[in-house]
């Protein structure tokens, strides 16, 4: 394989990874050093269930892809054996799964990520993982919006029953 063919192949890898990152709602970098193949596969299965995927790429390729799609802030954490977790459906699913898995497997280290276009460091990713899902948050909001109307209806009903007695 010629040098030019190798460069073109690597550029194709960068472009493909960059496109996946652009289409994602969340991109999280995690170090998997010390995890067995079995544990890594277990993590991959858990991620797949929630619409996420773990991509293991060379750091140089991952850095270039991140820079290409505007996620250059995660470049500093691309040292050592890293996996790039891409969340396609839910913004916080990747962070939740990684932190749940890291509780049982302390060798997995969540480094940083980009969620909905904003950079988050490891502590912030951990905080995001503690948030309820989007559906739960929407349900909580709806109940808070509904509560005053319910109280008003109960109060009006009490007034009408008092006047009729």
């Amino acid at each position: 394989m010629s040098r030019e063919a190798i460069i073109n192949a690597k550029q194709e890898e960068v472009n493909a990874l960059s496109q996946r990152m652009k289409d994602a709602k969340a991109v999280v970098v995690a170090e998997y050093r010390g995890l067995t193949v079995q544990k890594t596969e277990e993590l991959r299965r858990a991620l797949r269930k929630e619409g996420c995927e773990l991509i293991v790429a060379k750091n140089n390729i991952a850095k270039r892809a991140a820079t290409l799609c505007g996620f250059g802030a995660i470049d500093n954490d691309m040292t050592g054996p890293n996996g790039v977790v891409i969340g396609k459906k839910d913004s916080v699913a990747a962070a939740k799964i990684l932190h749940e898995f890291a509780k049982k497997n302390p060798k997995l280290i969540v480094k940083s990520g980009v969620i909905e276009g904003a950079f988050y460091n490891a502590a912030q990713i951990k905080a995001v993982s503690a948030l309820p899902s989007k559906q739960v948050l929407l349900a909580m909001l709806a109940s808070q919006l509904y509560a005053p109307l319910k109280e008003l209806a109960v109060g009006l009903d009490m007034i009408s029953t008092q006047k009729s007695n």
Side-chain angles (χ1 to χ4, degrees):
M1 198 177 226
S2 71
R3 179 175 167 86
E4 188 174 308
I6 292 172
I7 291 172
N8 289 338
K10 287 184 179 183
Q11 187 59 45
E12 286 178 25
E13 282 184 60
V14 168
N15 292 340
L17 183 55
S18 174
Q19 188 58 46
R20 285 172 139 168
M21 287 179 169
K22 280 181 190 174
D23 295 340
K25 292 191 177 205
V27 176
V28 182
V29 178
E31 184 176 317
Y32 61 90
R33 184 189 326 252
L35 288 180
T36 64
V37 173
Q38 181 182 8
K39 290 291 183 184
T40 305
E41 284 303 312
E42 182 182 323
L43 175 60
R44 285 179 190 266
R45 278 191 298 275
L47 287 166
R48 257 182 260 134
K49 281 183 186 176
E50 296 298 323
C52 303
E53 67 178 318
L54 174 65
I55 299 171
V56 176
K58 290 187 174 186
N59 287 332
N60 196 25
I61 288 173
K63 282 181 184 180
R64 288 181 183 186
T67 302
L68 189 63
C69 66
F71 298 162
I74 61 176
D75 282 2
N76 294 335
D77 293 319
M78 299 275 191
T79 56
N82 294 312
V84 178
V85 178
I86 296 177
K88 300 173 192 169
K89 294 179 183 174
D90 188 6
S91 303
V92 297
K96 283 180 181 273
I97 293 166
L98 287 171
H99 276 286
E100 285 300 315
F101 191 82
K103 285 179 187 176
K104 299 174 191 164
N105 302 283
K107 292 182 179 180
L108 180 73
I109 300 168
V110 179
K111 293 183 169 182
S112 66
V114 176
I115 300 174
E116 298 284 341
F119 173 76
Y120 290 85
N121 63 26
Q124 292 168 323
I125 294 280
K126 185 174 183 176
V128 165
S129 73
L131 291 174
S133 70
K134 185 176 181 178
Q135 290 81 10
V136 172
L137 288 173
L138 289 174
M140 290 169 64
L141 175 64
S143 70
Q144 292 300 314
L145 292 174
Y146 175 72
L149 293 175
K150 179 182 168 197
E151 294 298 321
L152 177 64
V154 169
L156 291 174
D157 183 53
M158 289 175 66
I159 291 171
S160 69
T161 53
Q162 279 181 349
K163 286 185 179 181
S164 67
N165 289 336

